[in-house]
Amino acid sequence: MHHASPERDAWSSRIGFVLAAAGSAIGLGNIWRFPYVTGQNGGAAFVVLYIAFVLLIGTPVMVAEIAVGRHARLNPVGAFRKIAPKSLWYMVGFLGVATGIGILSYYSVIAGWTFGYFIKTVSGTFSSSITSDQSVIVFTNFVSNPIQAIFFLFVFIGLTTLVVMGGVSSGIERWVKILMPILFALLLILTIRSVTLNGAVKGLEFYLKPDFTKIHGSTVAMALGQALFSLSLGMGAMITYGSYISKQDNLVISAAWVCFFDTMIAIVAGFLIFPALFAMGLDPAGGPGLVFVVLPTMFADMPLGAFFGAGFFLLLTVAALTSTISLLEVTVAYMVDEKKWHRKSAALFMASLAFILGIPSALSFGGVDWLSKIPGIGLGFLDLMNISLGNYSLTIGAFLISVFVGYKWGIHAVRSEIEEYGNIFFFRKIWTFLIRFICPVAIFAIFVYIVVTKNYF
Ligand code: PFF
């Protein structure tokens, strides 16, 4: 039984929500972003921080967002406005909508590369053995071609728009159910190949043996940002998806499953990338090109490599698609609920904005010089977007959401939302402690620390 209005979409079952939310969470964040950020931040010690943040901050904020969404049955702006009318809390929703467009814009650039690499693999670019040096050249040529980068960005945003125009539940649930398990199986097979390469041990050491002296400056902020990004938290994606779930579901259990699946995939991706990377003698701090350089080199040199390679890039494209759908959906839900736009026009409008905003990101890998290294900042445009929105904006959002749920809306309201239909609120006391004290205080402390040390990225 759904209490939704006839126009409001709904997941068909608890498993439907878990699948869609896992589809949002699992994406490039796990397989592209996690390994390269881990590589840039020293390896195992970063992984320890990341896991701690998933447990102490990510999981409680996940419960909080879903509860807000299901209670209000609205987009983030509407949800804050409904729960706290005549206050400024709805601004947190706006921050989320803006962040959603911004992340969608650059995320789709990387997703476009993924799709491009699928086509490259199928068309035989990596069929004969290539060295890692050659793979770097293929990558650099590919991403610095402006027409190509913009073309793939367009294709990818177009795909996302088509799905969102049709409504969320019908497409995603079905795709995720079939394709995510295949992606996981493929990851495991490829990981076995990676860890058995000559010289893989050094990569395992880098990934598993923490050296806490490597933690300094922005490392902690990066680990927190990565945890939030990977779980799709801090911008209302889970508020939006939560607004489509049934009152009968135990949302604590659903939240826990999503966090568990997402973290598993990220950890396995590390086992896939680092052994192969060290076996090839590459630099773990190589940045956003990491997976696009390491994996094709590995595929080129393994039995049925073209088959596994094509499968991998195709499934990663789908995983990215189920994430961009949620990014676009946040902004579309806002336009539909609050501005009474039609779903189709809202999707077209927001996607066009994201496409235009994505162009400088698409040109920031050699296509246009000053975008590749912005004067005075030293980062490329995409990197800058990725850090400011994918880390800091989500972190600020998560801070505000935890304060809102812990103090404004209040623990009792959450409790009745969760227990209303006789469900058990597992770990209620621990959750209360985490959301009221640990989340806001830890996030605040991290901000003070990076501001004081001026170590932003
Ligand atoms: N969680 C997605 C990933 O790991 O690829 C990215 C993402 C989706 C971030 C939706 C934020 C969001 F709201």
Side-chain angles (χ1 to χ4, degrees), residues 195-240:
V195 297
T196 52
L197 290 168
N198 266 336
V201 177
K202 274 212 227 99
L204 289 174
E205 254 174 41
F206 176 83
Y207 190 45
L208 295 178
K209 246 173 113 182
D211 171 359
F212 287 101
T213 60
K214 284 185 176 161
I215 294 201
H216 40 70
S218 62
T219 318
V220 186
M222 289 300 144
L224 173 59
Q226 177 57 32
L228 296 172
F229 184 89
S230 193
L231 294 168
S232 302
L233 295 175
M235 52 154 278
M238 291 299 166
I239 295 181
T240 308

Side-chain angles (χ1 to χ4, degrees), residues 80-127:
F80 284 104
R81 211 177 251 150
K82 180 165 174 182
I83 295 176
K86 300 196 198 77
S87 73
L88 288 177
W89 280 103
Y90 70 91
M91 300 287 279
V92 183
F94 273 122
L95 177 70
V97 172
T99 305
I101 287 286
I103 295 182
L104 177 62
S105 76
Y106 77 82
Y107 193 96
S108 301
V109 172
I110 311 292
W113 295 355
T114 311
F115 186 58
Y117 261 61
F118 163 68
I119 295 189
K120 265 188 183 313
T121 314
V122 171
S123 63
T125 310
F126 304 114
S127 54

Side-chain angles (χ1 to χ4, degrees), residues 301-326:
D301 200 32
M302 73 185 267
L304 297 176
F307 171 76
F308 284 118
F312 174 81
F313 284 117
L314 185 62
L315 288 167
L316 187 54
T317 305
V318 177
L321 186 62
T322 54
S323 301
T324 51
I325 289 166
S326 71

Side-chain angles (χ1 to χ4, degrees), residues 109 113 139-150 358-373 380-382:
V109 172
W113 295 355
F139 176 71
T140 316
N141 287 341
F142 178 69
V143 297
S144 61
N145 179 329
I147 307 286
Q148 221 171 87
I150 293 175
I359 292 175
S361 286
L363 299 177
S364 69
F365 287 84
V368 172
D369 280 344
W370 69 271
L371 286 173
S372 311
K373 203 168 182 185
F381 190 83
L382 187 144

